[in-house]
Amino acid sequence: MTSSQRPQYILALDGGTTSSRAIVFDHGGNVVARAQKEFPQIFPRPGLVEHDAQDIWSTQLGVAQEAIASARLRASDIAAIGITNQRETVVVWDRATGQPIHNAVVWQDRRTAGLCDTLRAEGKEALFQQKTGLILDAYFSGTKVAWILDHVEGARGRAERGELAFGTVDSWLVYNLTGGELHITDASNASRTLLYNIHTGEWDDELLGILNVPRAVLPEVRSSSEVYGETAPGLLGAQIPIAGIAGDQMAATFGQVCLERGMAKNTYGTGCFMLMNTEQEAVPSRNRLLTTVAWQLDGKRTYALEGSVFVAGAVVQWLRDGLGIIRSSEEVETLATGVPDSGGVYLVPAFVGLGAPYWDPYARGTIVGMTRGTTAAHIARAALEAVAFQSAELLEAMQKDSGVTLKELRVDGGASTNDLMMQFQADLLGVPVVRPRITETTALGAAYLAGLAVGFWQDQAELRAMWQEDRRFEPQMQADERAARMRRWKKAVERSRDWEDAEG
């Protein structure tokens, strides 16, 4: 390629929870090259999860270089970089040296649960939900920042003097990619901090005061698609524009081209994350879902309702590693298809409590409806059906909150390749479940956001035209049967709830 030709590729960086990934996409949205590197998980004690922020940066830079090299490209062939990331993980670093002052505190970390309980007891939950769209939970970033400032010697004073910077993983990566030039985040990541008012699009002084986080540490909030700056000389071989940022689930929603109100996607990974686009309306949830910024383009915020299921693909790992009834995850579908149905067995995988719409940390895993005739195949089938039941409950809550009736559900993530589960999902929802040809939707969404900013793709209409279906699962179950199954499922969930005492 000569230097006079336009760059033909977009590089997406995906800063995940267990690994850093980099994917090169061509103009058709096809994967040209990918690289991935895991980094260590740090567990100081039960319930605490940390990462070394330098590990996040070094692995992300390494896979970026590797992906470009394995595609046999030069940095000058890359039109722009898009970034997507694990959303609520927190890094605090020294502005002068770029050195983190503590390990990154990961979204899964529960160390601030007590602080959240205190704030709830003080009657603050309604204020936080109204302004941020979130519930008061240790999952989100704000209480983690406060914890670091309170537990690292001298940190609070340094933060107030403007010597420290806080950011989620996107901010940390951009800061390092630009050689310390930029301290920014995008609206989708800001909306997960408990510090950002999703209605005004600003950091909120009242919430900052309650959590005791100085404004001086905060990044500037930018759109999800604009040219923020360029990579520092010497990192990748040429300076590349950084032009897109979105949290992982929002990026996946954009990658699935769920661009109109009422379009929804579900990602079937370790857990499940379902997002429904509500366009310019931040729909308040009466059913314990989250109201979140999906992305901000051209100064306009698009909102979504989000529900999360804590255990989805992880239930298949449990069948393999805990029960030992399958040798590999791929075997579960074969075993489950050995019976026509679950034989009345319901498995509620509340191994770590229940997520939306219950938010019950004291629920525990339960299997009900077993008889002498129950076999391993029935339990395997009940496990797959449990993922679909949990997702159906999320969608039920979303439709109640938004008043929108879903036309189809777009799906991605590892477990979306399981045809039996996807068919059952369509049956329970009563709408088609559609799997796309390109399932790397998280990285693709980041690529799309970056590509739009630099004119690599012209507009959203071009993205819609590129989205291609791999398989469509049409519902086959009768409405009365569906209602009966959901009723039994909810009865099983009640059996699992409030099992542990609050003291643990």
Side-chain angles (χ1 to χ4, degrees):
M1 175 186 273
T2 64
S3 57
S4 62
Q5 286 179 283
R6 285 185 65 196
Q8 296 299 305
Y9 303 93
I10 299 281
L11 176 64
L13 303 182
D14 183 353
T17 307
T18 58
S19 68
S20 293
R21 303 170 74 231
I23 302 184
V24 177
F25 290 96
D26 67 13
H27 200 271
N30 302 299
V31 174
V32 176
R34 56 164 70 85
Q36 180 167 357
K37 189 163 176 54
E38 291 192 1
F39 49 79
Q41 307 293 301
I42 302 164
F43 305 104
R45 58 176 197 272
L48 272 56
V49 190
E50 296 178 353
H51 296 151
D52 181 332
Q54 297 290 17
D55 286 344
I56 294 175
W57 163 236
S58 62
T59 54
Q60 192 67 79
L61 178 62
V63 291
Q65 293 165 336
E66 188 185 330
I68 293 169
S70 68
R72 297 203 170 99
L73 301 174
R74 293 190 300 259
S76 55
D77 299 326
I78 307 293
I81 291 173
I83 293 171
T84 184
N85 57 291
Q86 46 161 324
R87 295 176 294 181
E88 295 84 4
T89 297
V90 165
V91 187
V92 178
W93 66 93
D94 183 304
R95 286 185 189 275
T97 65
Q99 291 298 310
I101 65 165
H102 189 275
N103 279 340
V105 179
V106 178
W107 60 273
Q108 298 152 316
D109 189 280
R110 305 302 298 170
R111 76 187 66 194
T112 60
L115 172 56
C116 294
D117 289 342
T118 302
L119 292 169
R120 258 194 305 278
E122 291 170 358
K124 298 285 198 297
E125 178 143 51
L127 175 73
F128 275 94
Q129 184 175 18
Q130 190 275 316
K131 288 189 170 194
T132 70
L134 308 176
I135 62 165
L136 266 176
D137 192 86
Y139 177 31
F140 303 107
S141 327
T143 57
K144 297 179 169 72
V145 188
W147 187 94
I148 291 174
L149 296 183
D150 285 336
H151 288 81
V152 175
E153 195 176 339
R156 186 161 286 290
R158 293 175 66 203
E160 282 160 0
R161 291 193 297 275
E163 294 169 17
L164 300 181
F166 142 68
T168 40
V169 168
D170 57 307
S171 300
W172 172 240
L173 292 177
V174 171
Y175 177 86
N176 283 288
L177 283 165
T178 59
E181 286 289 308
L182 288 177
H183 180 215
I184 62 170
T185 189
D186 90 299
S188 75
N189 280 292
S191 78
R192 312 296 289 194
T193 59
L194 287 172
L195 305 171
Y196 174 83
N197 187 316
I198 61 172
H199 309 287
T200 64
E202 304 284 344
W203 298 117
D204 190 284
D205 286 322
E206 185 178 10
L207 302 180
L208 291 171
I210 292 168
L211 288 177
N212 201 12
V213 174
R215 189 174 261 277
V217 301
L218 301 174
E220 181 189 353
V221 182
R222 305 279 285 269
S223 278
S224 309
S225 176
E226 63 173 279
V227 178
Y228 313 109
E230 291 186 327
T231 56
L235 279 185
L236 297 170
Q239 291 184 270
I240 305 172
I242 302 167
I245 301 173
D248 52 11
Q249 299 308 323
M250 292 82 160
T253 309
F254 202 81
Q256 284 275 35
V257 204
C258 291
L259 304 177
E260 279 94 47
R261 181 181 174 87
M263 292 184 76
K265 72 91 200 174
N266 199 15
T267 298
Y268 298 80
T270 304
C272 267
F273 293 90
M274 186 183 288
L275 273 77
M276 177 187 274
N277 184 330
T278 59
E279 287 188 341
Q280 271 66 65
E281 185 190 0
V283 175
S285 178
R286 297 176 303 284
N287 295 285
R288 308 282 283 160
L289 299 175
L290 307 177
T291 308
T292 199
V293 175
W295 49 77
Q296 181 174 312
L297 299 177
D298 305 321
K300 266 197 330 196
R301 285 181 298 283
T302 292
Y303 297 96
L305 282 167
E306 176 176 331
S308 43
V309 167
F310 293 158
V311 174
V315 74
V316 178
Q317 293 167 340
W318 174 73
L319 293 178
R320 183 191 66 200
D321 304 335
L323 283 192
I325 63 173
I326 51 172
R327 284 191 305 275
S328 71
S329 297
E330 293 72 38
E331 283 179 26
V332 70
E333 192 169 0
T334 310
L335 180 59
T337 47
V339 288
D341 54 47
S342 67
V345 176
Y346 287 78
L347 189 160
V348 183
F351 303 140
V352 290
L354 288 168
Y358 300 101
W359 296 100
D360 180 354
Y362 307 114
R364 286 298 175 266
T366 310
I367 304 178
V368 295
M370 290 192 293
T371 66
R372 281 289 301 272
T374 299
T375 66
H378 291 112
I379 292 171
R381 189 155 185 135
L384 295 183
E385 290 183 353
V387 179
F389 277 123
Q390 292 178 100
S391 298
E393 285 206 271
L394 292 183
L395 192 68
E396 202 175 89
M398 279 180 187
Q399 294 188 147
K400 277 185 198 157
D401 278 341
S402 66
V404 173
T405 304
L406 191 74
K407 293 187 186 70
E408 65 178 30
L409 180 68
R410 295 187 171 184
V411 298
D412 53 64
S416 70
T417 59
N418 188 306
D419 291 351
L420 179 68
M421 192 199 293
M422 293 302 102
Q423 182 57 55
F424 189 70
Q425 187 72 83
D427 289 344
L428 277 186
L429 299 179
V431 298
V433 164
V434 190
R435 189 168 60 208
R437 194 174 61 77
I438 296 173
T439 53
E440 291 281 9
T441 53
T442 305
L444 185 59
Y448 281 166
L449 289 164
L452 285 172
V454 298
F456 187 81
W457 290 294
Q458 289 311 303
D459 52 28
Q460 294 182 20
E462 189 176 354
L463 304 184
R464 283 189 196 95
M466 285 164 54
W467 190 88
Q468 288 180 308
E469 188 177 296
D470 167 52
R471 180 152 176 201
R472 177 175 291 258
F473 299 86
E474 296 286 349
Q476 294 165 358
M477 193 180 281
Q478 297 299 317
D480 54 350
E481 163 88 356
R482 183 183 310 137
R485 292 285 200 103
M486 286 302 297
R487 215 166 27 247
R488 301 278 287 179
W489 163 256
K490 288 178 181 180
K491 196 172 168 185
V493 170
E494 287 312 311
R495 298 287 195 275
S496 78
R497 293 199 61 190
D498 205 21
W499 180 258
E500 287 289 324
D501 297 328
E503 297 75 43

